[in-house]
mmCIF file of all heavy atoms in Angstrom:
data_model
loop_
_atom_site.group_PDB
_atom_site.id
_atom_site.type_symbol
_atom_site.label_atom_id
_atom_site.label_comp_id
_atom_site.label_asym_id
_atom_site.label_seq_id
_atom_site.Cartn_x
_atom_site.Cartn_y
_atom_site.Cartn_z
ATOM 1 N N ARG X 1 130.110 65.888 143.093
ATOM 2 C CA ARG X 1 130.626 65.825 144.463
ATOM 3 C C ARG X 1 132.153 65.938 144.472
ATOM 4 O O ARG X 1 132.731 66.625 145.337
ATOM 5 C CB ARG X 1 130.194 64.515 145.115
ATOM 6 C CG ARG X 1 130.745 64.269 146.517
ATOM 7 C CD ARG X 1 130.210 65.279 147.512
ATOM 8 N NE ARG X 1 130.746 65.020 148.838
ATOM 9 C CZ ARG X 1 131.948 65.401 149.246
ATOM 10 N NH1 ARG X 1 132.741 66.071 148.418
ATOM 11 N NH2 ARG X 1 132.357 65.123 150.458
ATOM 12 N N TYR X 2 132.812 65.316 143.522
ATOM 13 C CA TYR X 2 134.270 65.383 143.414
ATOM 14 C C TYR X 2 134.725 66.822 143.148
ATOM 15 O O TYR X 2 135.645 67.329 143.802
ATOM 16 C CB TYR X 2 134.751 64.458 142.293
ATOM 17 C CG TYR X 2 136.149 64.766 141.806
ATOM 18 C CD1 TYR X 2 137.265 64.357 142.537
ATOM 19 C CD2 TYR X 2 136.350 65.473 140.614
ATOM 20 C CE1 TYR X 2 138.549 64.639 142.096
ATOM 21 C CE2 TYR X 2 137.629 65.760 140.170
ATOM 22 C CZ TYR X 2 138.730 65.349 140.922
ATOM 23 O OH TYR X 2 140.000 65.641 140.481
ATOM 24 N N LEU X 3 134.084 67.494 142.200
ATOM 25 C CA LEU X 3 134.463 68.867 141.863
ATOM 26 C C LEU X 3 134.174 69.826 143.007
ATOM 27 O O LEU X 3 134.927 70.779 143.241
ATOM 28 C CB LEU X 3 133.717 69.320 140.600
ATOM 29 C CG LEU X 3 134.108 68.596 139.299
ATOM 30 C CD1 LEU X 3 133.184 69.006 138.168
ATOM 31 C CD2 LEU X 3 135.559 68.901 138.937
ATOM 32 N N GLN X 4 133.091 69.544 143.718
ATOM 33 C CA GLN X 4 132.742 70.384 144.868
ATOM 34 C C GLN X 4 133.826 70.300 145.937
ATOM 35 O O GLN X 4 134.222 71.308 146.538
ATOM 36 C CB GLN X 4 131.394 69.939 145.443
ATOM 37 C CG GLN X 4 130.858 70.837 146.546
ATOM 38 C CD GLN X 4 129.490 70.373 147.021
ATOM 39 O OE1 GLN X 4 128.909 69.447 146.479
ATOM 40 N NE2 GLN X 4 128.983 71.027 148.049
ATOM 41 N N GLU X 5 134.350 69.095 146.159
ATOM 42 C CA GLU X 5 135.417 68.907 147.142
ATOM 43 C C GLU X 5 136.729 69.507 146.656
ATOM 44 O O GLU X 5 137.461 70.154 147.412
ATOM 45 C CB GLU X 5 135.610 67.415 147.419
ATOM 46 C CG GLU X 5 136.688 67.115 148.439
ATOM 47 C CD GLU X 5 136.860 65.617 148.663
ATOM 48 O OE1 GLU X 5 137.615 64.991 147.892
ATOM 49 O OE2 GLU X 5 136.218 65.085 149.584
ATOM 50 N N LYS X 6 137.008 69.355 145.380
ATOM 51 C CA LYS X 6 138.276 69.823 144.816
ATOM 52 C C LYS X 6 138.329 71.353 144.739
ATOM 53 O O LYS X 6 139.355 71.969 145.061
ATOM 54 C CB LYS X 6 138.467 69.227 143.422
ATOM 55 C CG LYS X 6 139.808 69.551 142.781
ATOM 56 C CD LYS X 6 139.947 68.819 141.440
ATOM 57 C CE LYS X 6 141.336 69.019 140.858
ATOM 58 N NZ LYS X 6 141.605 70.419 140.516
ATOM 59 N N GLU X 7 137.232 71.969 144.309
ATOM 60 C CA GLU X 7 137.215 73.422 144.102
ATOM 61 C C GLU X 7 136.674 74.193 145.303
ATOM 62 O O GLU X 7 136.715 75.428 145.307
ATOM 63 C CB GLU X 7 136.371 73.746 142.866
ATOM 64 C CG GLU X 7 136.804 73.035 141.586
ATOM 65 C CD GLU X 7 138.191 73.439 141.136
ATOM 66 O OE1 GLU X 7 138.612 74.554 141.497
ATOM 67 O OE2 GLU X 7 138.844 72.642 140.427
ATOM 68 N N GLN X 8 136.125 73.454 146.288
ATOM 69 C CA GLN X 8 135.512 74.096 147.452
ATOM 70 C C GLN X 8 134.384 75.049 147.040
ATOM 71 O O GLN X 8 134.164 76.096 147.647
ATOM 72 C CB GLN X 8 136.572 74.858 148.267
ATOM 73 C CG GLN X 8 137.619 73.961 148.899
ATOM 74 C CD GLN X 8 137.013 72.967 149.900
ATOM 75 O OE1 GLN X 8 136.318 73.369 150.832
ATOM 76 N NE2 GLN X 8 137.275 71.692 149.702
ATOM 77 N N ALA X 9 133.695 74.668 145.978
ATOM 78 C CA ALA X 9 132.561 75.466 145.492
ATOM 79 C C ALA X 9 131.711 74.572 144.599
ATOM 80 O O ALA X 9 132.186 73.554 144.072
ATOM 81 C CB ALA X 9 133.039 76.691 144.729
ATOM 82 N N MET X 10 130.444 74.969 144.426
ATOM 83 C CA MET X 10 129.545 74.196 143.583
ATOM 84 C C MET X 10 129.924 74.391 142.118
ATOM 85 O O MET X 10 129.953 75.511 141.619
ATOM 86 C CB MET X 10 128.089 74.643 143.800
ATOM 87 C CG MET X 10 127.075 73.768 143.073
ATOM 88 S SD MET X 10 127.076 72.049 143.650
ATOM 89 C CE MET X 10 126.423 72.264 145.309
ATOM 90 N N PRO X 11 130.235 73.315 141.401
ATOM 91 C CA PRO X 11 130.636 73.444 139.996
ATOM 92 C C PRO X 11 129.454 73.852 139.116
ATOM 93 O O PRO X 11 128.302 73.556 139.422
ATOM 94 C CB PRO X 11 131.134 72.039 139.641
ATOM 95 C CG PRO X 11 130.381 71.139 140.576
ATOM 96 C CD PRO X 11 130.233 71.913 141.847
ATOM 97 N N SER X 12 129.737 74.525 138.012
ATOM 98 C CA SER X 12 128.681 74.941 137.096
ATOM 99 C C SER X 12 128.185 73.744 136.283
ATOM 100 O O SER X 12 128.918 72.769 136.062
ATOM 101 C CB SER X 12 129.190 76.015 136.149
ATOM 102 O OG SER X 12 130.165 75.475 135.268
ATOM 103 N N LYS X 13 126.942 73.831 135.836
ATOM 104 C CA LYS X 13 126.386 72.768 135.002
ATOM 105 C C LYS X 13 127.156 72.654 133.691
ATOM 106 O O LYS X 13 127.327 71.548 133.164
ATOM 107 C CB LYS X 13 124.906 73.042 134.723
ATOM 108 C CG LYS X 13 123.995 72.828 135.921
ATOM 109 C CD LYS X 13 122.540 72.998 135.535
ATOM 110 C CE LYS X 13 121.635 72.732 136.735
ATOM 111 N NZ LYS X 13 120.190 72.883 136.379
ATOM 112 N N ALA X 14 127.604 73.804 133.182
ATOM 113 C CA ALA X 14 128.357 73.799 131.924
ATOM 114 C C ALA X 14 129.641 72.980 132.050
ATOM 115 O O ALA X 14 129.999 72.213 131.146
ATOM 116 C CB ALA X 14 128.679 75.226 131.503
ATOM 117 N N LEU X 15 130.337 73.139 133.190
ATOM 118 C CA LEU X 15 131.571 72.388 133.411
ATOM 119 C C LEU X 15 131.292 70.896 133.532
ATOM 120 O O LEU X 15 131.989 70.066 132.930
ATOM 121 C CB LEU X 15 132.270 72.897 134.683
ATOM 122 C CG LEU X 15 133.552 72.155 135.085
ATOM 123 C CD1 LEU X 15 134.611 72.289 133.999
ATOM 124 C CD2 LEU X 15 134.079 72.678 136.417
ATOM 125 N N ILE X 16 130.265 70.539 134.292
ATOM 126 C CA ILE X 16 129.912 69.129 134.472
ATOM 127 C C ILE X 16 129.533 68.508 133.135
ATOM 128 O O ILE X 16 129.990 67.406 132.788
ATOM 129 C CB ILE X 16 128.760 68.985 135.482
ATOM 130 C CG1 ILE X 16 129.226 69.420 136.872
ATOM 131 C CG2 ILE X 16 128.260 67.538 135.527
ATOM 132 C CD1 ILE X 16 128.126 69.452 137.906
ATOM 133 N N ASN X 17 128.688 69.201 132.364
ATOM 134 C CA ASN X 17 128.268 68.677 131.063
ATOM 135 C C ASN X 17 129.453 68.489 130.131
ATOM 136 O O ASN X 17 129.528 67.508 129.382
ATOM 137 C CB ASN X 17 127.242 69.618 130.419
ATOM 138 C CG ASN X 17 125.908 69.593 131.141
ATOM 139 O OD1 ASN X 17 125.572 68.631 131.826
ATOM 140 N ND2 ASN X 17 125.134 70.650 130.986
ATOM 141 N N SER X 18 130.387 69.423 130.169
ATOM 142 C CA SER X 18 131.569 69.328 129.321
ATOM 143 C C SER X 18 132.409 68.114 129.688
ATOM 144 O O SER X 18 132.897 67.389 128.810
ATOM 145 C CB SER X 18 132.397 70.608 129.453
ATOM 146 O OG SER X 18 133.569 70.539 128.669
ATOM 147 N N MET X 19 132.570 67.860 130.985
ATOM 148 C CA MET X 19 133.362 66.714 131.428
ATOM 149 C C MET X 19 132.648 65.396 131.159
ATOM 150 O O MET X 19 133.303 64.375 130.895
ATOM 151 C CB MET X 19 133.680 66.852 132.915
ATOM 152 C CG MET X 19 134.692 67.941 133.220
ATOM 153 S SD MET X 19 135.122 68.024 134.979
ATOM 154 C CE MET X 19 136.500 69.190 134.931
ATOM 155 N N LEU X 20 131.321 65.388 131.214
ATOM 156 C CA LEU X 20 130.584 64.167 130.896
ATOM 157 C C LEU X 20 130.702 63.843 129.411
ATOM 158 O O LEU X 20 130.801 62.680 129.029
ATOM 159 C CB LEU X 20 129.105 64.325 131.281
ATOM 160 C CG LEU X 20 128.787 64.304 132.776
ATOM 161 C CD1 LEU X 20 127.324 64.643 133.013
ATOM 162 C CD2 LEU X 20 129.125 62.957 133.394
ATOM 163 N N ARG X 21 130.714 64.890 128.580
ATOM 164 C CA ARG X 21 130.877 64.672 127.138
ATOM 165 C C ARG X 21 132.299 64.224 126.814
ATOM 166 O O ARG X 21 132.511 63.418 125.905
ATOM 167 C CB ARG X 21 130.539 65.946 126.363
ATOM 168 C CG ARG X 21 129.051 66.276 126.284
ATOM 169 C CD ARG X 21 128.789 67.378 125.266
ATOM 170 N NE ARG X 21 129.436 68.629 125.659
ATOM 171 C CZ ARG X 21 128.847 69.578 126.363
ATOM 172 N NH1 ARG X 21 127.598 69.419 126.780
ATOM 173 N NH2 ARG X 21 129.492 70.688 126.671
ATOM 174 N N ASP X 22 133.259 64.743 127.553
ATOM 175 C CA ASP X 22 134.673 64.420 127.305
ATOM 176 C C ASP X 22 135.357 64.145 128.643
ATOM 177 O O ASP X 22 135.952 65.045 129.240
ATOM 178 C CB ASP X 22 135.350 65.573 126.574
ATOM 179 C CG ASP X 22 136.827 65.288 126.307
ATOM 180 O OD1 ASP X 22 137.251 64.123 126.484
ATOM 181 O OD2 ASP X 22 137.549 66.231 125.919
ATOM 182 N N PRO X 23 135.287 62.905 129.149
ATOM 183 C CA PRO X 23 135.857 62.567 130.456
ATOM 184 C C PRO X 23 137.349 62.816 130.581
ATOM 185 O O PRO X 23 137.870 62.885 131.701
ATOM 186 C CB PRO X 23 135.537 61.067 130.603
ATOM 187 C CG PRO X 23 134.353 60.850 129.724
ATOM 188 C CD PRO X 23 134.566 61.773 128.548
ATOM 189 N N SER X 24 138.069 62.968 129.459
ATOM 190 C CA SER X 24 139.506 63.224 129.550
ATOM 191 C C SER X 24 139.793 64.567 130.216
ATOM 192 O O SER X 24 140.925 64.827 130.633
ATOM 193 C CB SER X 24 140.141 63.195 128.150
ATOM 194 O OG SER X 24 139.673 64.275 127.354
ATOM 195 N N GLN X 25 138.783 65.441 130.321
ATOM 196 C CA GLN X 25 138.946 66.723 130.999
ATOM 197 C C GLN X 25 138.965 66.578 132.521
ATOM 198 O O GLN X 25 139.370 67.502 133.229
ATOM 199 C CB GLN X 25 137.807 67.671 130.615
ATOM 200 C CG GLN X 25 137.730 68.021 129.143
ATOM 201 C CD GLN X 25 136.555 68.929 128.837
ATOM 202 O OE1 GLN X 25 136.122 69.702 129.689
ATOM 203 N NE2 GLN X 25 136.019 68.836 127.635
ATOM 204 N N ILE X 26 138.520 65.438 133.029
ATOM 205 C CA ILE X 26 138.454 65.227 134.474
ATOM 206 C C ILE X 26 139.871 65.013 135.014
ATOM 207 O O ILE X 26 140.585 64.113 134.544
ATOM 208 C CB ILE X 26 137.566 64.009 134.817
ATOM 209 C CG1 ILE X 26 136.147 64.233 134.262
ATOM 210 C CG2 ILE X 26 137.524 63.758 136.317
ATOM 211 C CD1 ILE X 26 135.243 63.038 134.394
ATOM 212 N N PRO X 27 140.306 65.818 135.992
ATOM 213 C CA PRO X 27 141.691 65.725 136.499
ATOM 214 C C PRO X 27 142.020 64.363 137.105
ATOM 215 O O PRO X 27 143.163 63.907 136.999
ATOM 216 C CB PRO X 27 141.752 66.818 137.570
ATOM 217 C CG PRO X 27 140.657 67.772 137.204
ATOM 218 C CD PRO X 27 139.580 66.944 136.612
ATOM 219 N N ASP X 28 141.063 63.735 137.726
ATOM 220 C CA ASP X 28 141.288 62.446 138.381
ATOM 221 C C ASP X 28 141.121 61.324 137.355
ATOM 222 O O ASP X 28 140.034 61.091 136.838
ATOM 223 C CB ASP X 28 140.288 62.276 139.527
ATOM 224 C CG ASP X 28 140.574 61.053 140.368
ATOM 225 O OD1 ASP X 28 140.527 59.938 139.817
ATOM 226 O OD2 ASP X 28 140.830 61.204 141.571
ATOM 227 N N GLY X 29 142.212 60.597 137.078
ATOM 228 C CA GLY X 29 142.179 59.550 136.071
ATOM 229 C C GLY X 29 141.228 58.418 136.386
ATOM 230 O O GLY X 29 140.578 57.860 135.494
ATOM 231 N N VAL X 30 141.158 58.048 137.662
ATOM 232 C CA VAL X 30 140.261 56.968 138.070
ATOM 233 C C VAL X 30 138.811 57.355 137.812
ATOM 234 O O VAL X 30 138.032 56.603 137.232
ATOM 235 C CB VAL X 30 140.463 56.630 139.567
ATOM 236 C CG1 VAL X 30 139.440 55.603 140.012
ATOM 237 C CG2 VAL X 30 141.873 56.120 139.798
ATOM 238 N N LEU X 31 138.448 58.553 138.240
ATOM 239 C CA LEU X 31 137.082 59.026 138.042
ATOM 240 C C LEU X 31 136.773 59.182 136.549
ATOM 241 O O LEU X 31 135.673 58.858 136.107
ATOM 242 C CB LEU X 31 136.869 60.354 138.770
ATOM 243 C CG LEU X 31 135.487 60.991 138.614
ATOM 244 C CD1 LEU X 31 134.396 60.033 139.068
ATOM 245 C CD2 LEU X 31 135.412 62.300 139.395
ATOM 246 N N ALA X 32 137.744 59.671 135.778
ATOM 247 C CA ALA X 32 137.541 59.845 134.335
ATOM 248 C C ALA X 32 137.169 58.514 133.686
ATOM 249 O O ALA X 32 136.256 58.437 132.864
ATOM 250 C CB ALA X 32 138.793 60.422 133.692
ATOM 251 N N ASN X 33 137.872 57.464 134.083
ATOM 252 C CA ASN X 33 137.595 56.138 133.544
ATOM 253 C C ASN X 33 136.218 55.648 133.964
ATOM 254 O O ASN X 33 135.472 55.064 133.166
ATOM 255 C CB ASN X 33 138.668 55.151 134.006
ATOM 256 C CG ASN X 33 138.422 53.741 133.503
ATOM 257 O OD1 ASN X 33 138.297 53.504 132.304
ATOM 258 N ND2 ASN X 33 138.339 52.793 134.425
ATOM 259 N N GLN X 34 135.859 55.895 135.222
ATOM 260 C CA GLN X 34 134.548 55.475 135.723
ATOM 261 C C GLN X 34 133.413 56.209 134.997
ATOM 262 O O GLN X 34 132.400 55.599 134.638
ATOM 263 C CB GLN X 34 134.454 55.732 137.228
ATOM 264 C CG GLN X 34 135.372 54.875 138.075
ATOM 265 C CD GLN X 34 135.039 53.396 137.974
ATOM 266 O OE1 GLN X 34 133.887 53.002 138.122
ATOM 267 N NE2 GLN X 34 136.052 52.577 137.712
ATOM 268 N N VAL X 35 133.583 57.501 134.804
ATOM 269 C CA VAL X 35 132.563 58.293 134.106
ATOM 270 C C VAL X 35 132.411 57.797 132.667
ATOM 271 O O VAL X 35 131.291 57.648 132.164
ATOM 272 C CB VAL X 35 132.936 59.792 134.131
ATOM 273 C CG1 VAL X 35 132.049 60.588 133.172
ATOM 274 C CG2 VAL X 35 132.808 60.340 135.544
ATOM 275 N N TYR X 36 133.531 57.522 132.026
ATOM 276 C CA TYR X 36 133.501 57.030 130.643
ATOM 277 C C TYR X 36 132.718 55.715 130.557
ATOM 278 O O TYR X 36 131.861 55.545 129.675
ATOM 279 C CB TYR X 36 134.931 56.823 130.138
ATOM 280 C CG TYR X 36 135.000 56.130 128.795
ATOM 281 C CD1 TYR X 36 134.716 56.825 127.622
ATOM 282 C CD2 TYR X 36 135.345 54.787 128.720
ATOM 283 C CE1 TYR X 36 134.777 56.183 126.393
ATOM 284 C CE2 TYR X 36 135.393 54.137 127.497
ATOM 285 C CZ TYR X 36 135.106 54.833 126.331
ATOM 286 O OH TYR X 36 135.152 54.183 125.123
ATOM 287 N N GLN X 37 132.995 54.799 131.486
ATOM 288 C CA GLN X 37 132.306 53.514 131.465
ATOM 289 C C GLN X 37 130.803 53.677 131.679
ATOM 290 O O GLN X 37 129.988 52.969 131.079
ATOM 291 C CB GLN X 37 132.885 52.591 132.536
ATOM 292 C CG GLN X 37 134.309 52.153 132.239
ATOM 293 C CD GLN X 37 134.833 51.174 133.266
ATOM 294 O OE1 GLN X 37 134.355 50.059 133.380
ATOM 295 N NE2 GLN X 37 135.819 51.593 134.042
#
């Protein structure tokens, strides 16, 4: 939902999976920390 709002488009599964594996790729620091936890 965050990426959809930020990019104004539906994010690819590959991008989401990559960010879930490595939350440091997420531009929003708060969200990155939440995903990591």
Side-chain angles (χ1 to χ4, degrees):
R1 176 65 180 81
Y2 162 78
L3 293 173
Q4 186 177 355
E5 181 181 86
K6 185 176 186 295
E7 305 296 335
Q8 295 298 305
M10 187 63 68
S12 67
K13 288 185 178 180
L15 177 62
I16 294 174
N17 290 337
S18 179
M19 289 183 171
L20 287 173
R21 286 192 297 267
D22 179 12
S24 67
Q25 298 178 29
I26 301 173
D28 188 298
V30 175
L31 178 57
N33 179 56
Q34 293 296 310
V35 168
Y36 172 77
Q37 292 184 66

